[in-house]
Amino acid sequence: MTPDINPLLDCAVAAARKAGDHALANRDRRREANSVSPHDIKLKLDVECQAIAEGVIRNTFPDHAILGEEDPRTGTAAETPKFDPDTVRWVIDPIDGTVNFAHGLPRWCCSIGVLQGERPVAGAIYAPVLGKLYTATHESDAMCNGEPIHVSDTATLKQSIVMTGVDRHRDGSVPPLAVFTALADTVQRPRIMGVAALDMCYVAEGGGDGYIETGIFLWDIAAATLIVEQAGGKTEILKHEPGHRLQCLASNGHIHAELKDVVLRALGHA
Ligand code: LIP
């Protein structure tokens, strides 16, 4: 059964705002870490913000499933389970762009996606320093701060800005900048800004034309894929890997096939 969508969106917005505002109010604690690895950092504020978002969701929907980036059980699963098409699941990235946040850069956000089965049905992405709240449901337009947004009409890859990341493939088979290098030869400008959810929101509002990461996670993109689609764009999961890891491509639709072709070539698949 399809759940009533507006209460889900309202709750996603409330959770994203409360968690994001907590991170903002505690910016002076941004370097307090639970662990630091060569290319990543796990912050105390990540865990606090996730607990805050979960609290908001559980208050309204105590029976719904929650998948959070900072949950100690998350990411250890060898296989990502398939969900019943009626199951409602909340997918939380409490601070996407953690490294940006830890260094005091303004580009970070809290992302809350609501999935029914495998399908995103509502999402909210809140970037407190930028003062932006992106929202969408599967029944309504994508919005930024309550105003409808739309993807660009850029027609070719060579006229496009495409955002990507530094993708460390688990098996080491592809160099971390393989896709970036291929894009640099093809698009007007590639960009690495370190926040998947916001990269995709830029595609949704037409500031960028495409986004590709080949080592990203469900919590980074759950809300953003819906926002791109409802803004008139196209998203595609090129590959599912264990532990909620994905290869995700998003675009304004016009450049989709061309972008996918460049990516697959860079990965050695074409
Ligand atoms: C980050 C992403 C970023 C990606 C990083 C990382 P986190 O998420 O948003 O775009 O390149 O590898 O996954 O860890 O800051 O939530």
Side-chain angles (χ1 to χ4, degrees):
M1 204 180 86
T2 307
D4 192 1
I5 204 68
N6 289 330
L8 293 174
L9 180 63
D10 291 347
C11 184
V13 168
R17 278 199 185 280
K18 195 166 179 188
D21 285 339
H22 179 75
L24 184 67
N26 287 277
R27 267 190 295 182
D28 56 332
R29 295 175 47 223
R30 66 182 184 269
R31 287 183 184 273
E32 287 178 13
N34 284 331
S35 68
V36 181
S37 57
H39 303 291
D40 205 4
I41 185 163
K42 292 286 178 195
L43 301 179
K44 292 195 161 109
L45 278 170
D46 266 319
V47 178
E48 289 174 23
C49 291
Q50 180 167 308
I52 287 168
E54 282 191 28
V56 172
I57 295 161
R58 290 209 191 285
N59 261 340
T60 318
F61 299 105
D63 301 330
H64 286 181
I66 296 179
L67 173 74
E69 178 179 13
E70 305 307 325
D71 186 324
R73 290 161 300 179
T74 298
T76 57
E79 294 299 333
T80 306
K82 284 271 173 216
F83 282 85
D84 178 274
D86 280 340
T87 303
V88 175
R89 214 167 19 133
W90 293 75
V91 183
I92 305 172
D93 190 342
I95 303 178
D96 187 27
T98 312
V99 175
N100 283 358
F101 175 80
H103 285 261
L105 291 173
R107 287 179 197 277
W108 55 273
C109 61
C110 177
S111 172
I112 313 275
V114 189
L115 272 56
Q116 190 182 13
E118 309 294 327
R119 181 174 72 122
V121 292
I125 293 174
Y126 175 47
V129 182
L130 306 180
K132 292 204 166 186
L133 173 70
Y134 297 91
T135 54
T137 77
H138 68 118
E139 295 172 355
S140 58
D141 288 344
M143 307 266 196
C144 178
N145 295 346
E147 296 292 326
I149 52 175
H150 206 270
V151 294
S152 71
D153 56 10
T154 306
T156 66
L157 211 46
K158 69 173 189 231
Q159 300 167 306
S160 298
I161 280 191
V162 176
M163 289 156 285
T164 187
V166 182
D167 296 339
R168 290 184 176 77
H169 288 253
R170 283 178 169 162
D171 61 5
S173 59
V174 182
L177 286 177
V179 169
F180 183 91
T181 305
L183 291 173
D185 286 339
T186 320
V187 305
Q188 189 174 51
R189 281 282 194 278
R191 293 280 183 259
I192 295 181
M193 301 200 283
V195 200
L198 284 183
D199 288 353
M200 293 174 77
C201 288
Y202 297 146
V203 173
E205 66 185 358
D209 308 296
Y211 159 84
I212 169 69
E213 277 195 80
T214 60
I216 199 73
F217 292 88
L218 181 60
W219 41 86
D220 297 307
I221 58 106
T225 49
L226 183 67
I227 290 168
V228 171
E229 297 268 351
Q230 295 306 109
K234 182 170 175 178
T235 66
E236 188 174 355
I237 303 302
L238 300 179
K239 191 175 177 190
H240 289 267
E241 292 178 21
H244 310 286
R245 198 174 141 106
L246 306 160
Q247 296 186 355
C248 179
L249 192 154
S251 78
N252 65 2
H254 310 295
I255 64 163
H256 201 90
E258 222 187 332
L259 178 56
K260 183 174 173 180
D261 186 55
V262 169
V263 171
L264 292 182
R265 282 176 197 279
L267 297 175
H269 296 329

